[in-house]
Amino acid sequence: ALACLLTAATSAVGFASLATASINVVRLLGWFAAAGIMFAFVTAIILVPACYSFLPAPKGEARGSADRSATGRWTDWVGEYVTSATGRKVVWIVTGLVVAASIAGATQLDANNYLLEEMREGNRTTVANRFAEEHYGGILPIEIEVTVPEGLSVLDPDVLQGMATMQAWMDEDPYVGRGMSLADLVSVAHLLATGEEGLPTSTAQATQELFLFEMSGDDSMIQQYADVERRHARISTMALDWGSDHFWVWVDDFYTLADASFEDDVDVHVTGSMVVANRALTHIVGDTFRSMATAFVIISILMTLLFRSIRIGLLSMIPNVLPLLVTLGVMGFAGIEIRTSMVLIFALSLGVAVDDTIHILARYRQELEIDGDIPAALRRAVSSTGQAIVFASILLVCGFGIFVTSSFVGLGQFGFLCAITLSTALLADLFFTPVMIQTFGLRVKGVGERQ
């Protein structure tokens, strides 16, 4: 019960670390997942014994008997292998190779996100979006607001010319269209009033010609591109879905041109839903490492208190960092970008992977009391507790693996990477943790003791 309480607590900490995220929906998920895990522990610790009390006692089997299940025989072999001299060498070598490969893959990670990437290419929505981009230009809105100081007007010829300059620059961009602005409406009004193309030469002329345009009928179009006081104007355009990295490069170039096209007292900035979405995608990377660091620190403290040793607490985190590193490596080699759903995987890596470590160490602590023999205690711990860990990991892999069938790319990748993370955590705790205990001669205290 103590080990289960601690594993539930560390899993809850893993998800609660998402509360440091800057995206509200991720923060809420962290809090609710953490609360749900603790409620699940309370329910299990009360209902499972209560239900078993109505059933006949199970028939026990002697450890090491010929009637052991396939899983039992496999964990028996693992216990023997990891305590042998050859097994320890092989585990260290394989772990080193896996770490090196994972680091190489992690260096290839790309945080460039696309707003329409959640749908698979064959999805009807994706097909329609690609068709619209190819034949009608962009489908993602970009809004540009132009604001002048009080007492001035956006109908000033210099301001109108600045908007026209920005539109001409966007028209040459292969990813962004020219769009519409107040300068377009004023130029049309000037053509209708004078028969000449171009923009008026004074604010008064522009005001008068635009007034005649308003008087001609529906003025809703003008209201879309300028306010009543004529202090705010808008340039509205559409862009292709060309990735968050490219978008922010374009924004930097935009502000450079805006500084050269408008007076210093004119405020020009990019806004709209595309800016909000790309900013959220950009924050994902920071949220990922912030939540991961938070979970690591808190769980390390819990493990230190749990085992009453800073040395054991820190060393016990090594097999729990391995699944996270392997997941990063797989993402890099598979070309999977860091996205919103990826934030959850890293919290899951630490929160769930540490559960197996606690169970192994807790049973090892109890077995060590029998004869004080570290290899023998490890063999008994892996042989017994290993079965429960294998069954729990299989259930988790199958549960999260269901997401692989999702039509949403992010959910599918989430399920795939969760399976990688949980499988790696299982192998790390069954093979690497016992080898690490023997290498450093760890004699665990704390967990498993009768209080």
Side-chain angles (χ1 to χ4, degrees):
L2 177 60
C4 290
L5 171 61
L6 296 172
T7 56
T10 53
S11 297
V13 167
F15 280 100
S17 66
L18 298 176
T20 62
S22 57
I23 302 175
N24 187 55
V25 65
V26 176
R27 289 199 301 269
L28 290 176
L29 175 61
W31 287 121
F32 278 100
I37 289 171
M38 297 310 299
F39 280 128
F41 164 75
V42 173
T43 302
I45 210 70
I46 294 175
L47 288 184
V48 171
C51 291
Y52 274 136
S53 69
F54 293 100
L55 301 176
K59 296 180 180 180
E61 294 179 353
R63 182 185 291 115
S65 68
D67 295 331
R68 292 269 285 173
S69 65
T71 305
R73 293 193 297 272
W74 183 74
T75 54
D76 290 342
W77 174 83
V78 171
E80 294 289 341
Y81 184 77
V82 296
T83 54
S84 66
T86 301
R88 291 199 300 271
K89 291 180 182 178
V90 171
V91 169
W92 277 114
I93 293 173
V94 171
T95 301
L97 294 175
V98 170
V99 168
S102 298
I103 293 175
T107 58
Q108 302 180 31
L109 275 175
D110 186 10
N112 187 30
N113 290 273
Y114 296 84
L115 300 180
L116 302 179
E117 65 183 350
E118 290 299 332
M119 293 289 187
R120 302 189 186 278
E121 286 299 322
N123 188 277
R124 289 183 296 177
T125 302
T126 303
V127 172
N129 288 336
R130 299 305 181 205
F131 181 87
E133 286 188 333
E134 181 180 355
H135 295 279
Y136 303 108
I139 60 174
L140 301 175
I142 297 180
E143 308 295 340
I144 299 163
E145 184 182 9
V146 180
T147 304
V148 299
E150 189 173 356
L152 298 181
S153 172
V154 291
L155 294 175
D156 182 275
D158 292 336
V159 177
L160 293 173
Q161 185 57 52
M163 286 189 278
T165 301
M166 301 303 299
Q167 288 180 268
W169 173 74
M170 290 188 294
D171 191 33
E172 296 176 357
D173 193 300
Y175 297 100
V176 181
R178 185 180 188 277
M180 284 284 294
S181 74
L182 181 65
D184 294 312
L185 301 182
V186 172
S187 64
V188 171
H190 182 69
L191 177 63
L192 295 175
T194 65
E196 300 176 356
E197 295 184 353
L199 294 169
T201 56
S202 67
T203 303
Q205 183 182 9
T207 302
Q208 183 179 16
E209 292 173 353
L210 194 63
F211 177 73
L212 293 176
F213 190 91
E214 291 180 284
M215 295 294 292
S216 64
D218 186 10
D219 62 349
S220 60
M221 183 175 290
I222 296 178
Q223 295 176 6
Q224 294 180 25
Y225 295 99
D227 67 331
V228 176
E229 297 179 353
R230 302 295 188 255
R231 285 195 55 221
H232 301 275
R234 167 189 172 207
I235 303 174
S236 181
T237 187
M238 304 293 280
L240 300 178
D241 185 18
W242 79 106
S244 57
D245 285 352
H246 298 153
F247 175 76
W248 292 119
V249 171
W250 178 86
V251 169
D252 292 338
D253 294 340
F254 171 86
Y255 281 121
T256 300
L257 180 62
D259 292 339
S261 303
F262 294 93
E263 298 293 335
D264 294 339
D265 56 353
V266 178
D267 180 35
V268 181
H269 66 274
V270 182
T271 182
S273 57
M274 189 172 181
V275 175
V276 175
N278 277 287
R279 184 174 290 120
L281 292 173
T282 303
H283 283 315
I284 289 173
V285 178
D287 287 345
T288 298
F289 292 102
R290 184 163 51 249
S291 63
M292 182 178 64
T294 302
F296 183 87
V297 171
I298 296 177
I299 293 176
S300 296
I301 294 173
L302 288 176
M303 298 292 276
T304 299
L305 296 175
L306 177 63
F307 301 124
R308 303 179 188 174
S309 169
I310 296 177
R311 178 169 173 258
I312 297 177
L314 294 177
L315 287 175
S316 67
M317 293 301 295
I318 296 177
N320 300 304
V321 173
L322 288 177
L324 186 148
L325 188 59
V326 170
T327 301
L328 287 174
V330 171
M331 289 175 62
F333 285 124
I336 299 175
E337 296 89 359
I338 297 178
R339 63 177 81 207
T340 307
S341 54
M342 301 302 105
V343 179
L344 312 181
I345 294 175
F346 299 118
L348 182 77
S349 298
L350 284 175
V352 176
V354 76
D355 294 356
D356 296 343
T357 305
I358 292 175
H359 283 299
I360 287 287
L361 291 176
R363 187 55 181 260
Y364 164 66
R365 168 70 180 83
Q366 294 174 343
E367 296 291 344
L368 194 62
E369 289 182 336
I370 297 176
D371 51 18
D373 187 340
I374 291 180
L378 284 173
R379 285 193 293 270
R380 292 192 295 267
V382 172
S383 177
S384 55
T385 306
Q387 291 189 74
I389 293 176
V390 170
F391 292 142
S393 298
I394 291 175
L395 288 174
L396 286 171
V397 169
C398 293
F400 285 107
I402 293 174
F403 289 117
V404 175
T405 63
S406 173
S407 61
F408 288 94
V409 175
L411 280 178
Q413 292 177 350
F414 174 73
F416 167 71
L417 293 175
C418 278
I420 296 294
T421 298
L422 296 169
S423 301
T424 306
L426 172 65
L427 295 176
D429 281 306
L430 289 181
F431 287 90
F432 182 78
T433 299
V435 170
M436 181 186 67
I437 290 174
Q438 291 181 92
T439 301
F440 295 99
L442 302 181
R443 292 184 176 273
V444 180
K445 298 179 180 180
V447 64
E449 291 181 347
R450 301 297 296 173
Q451 301 292 333

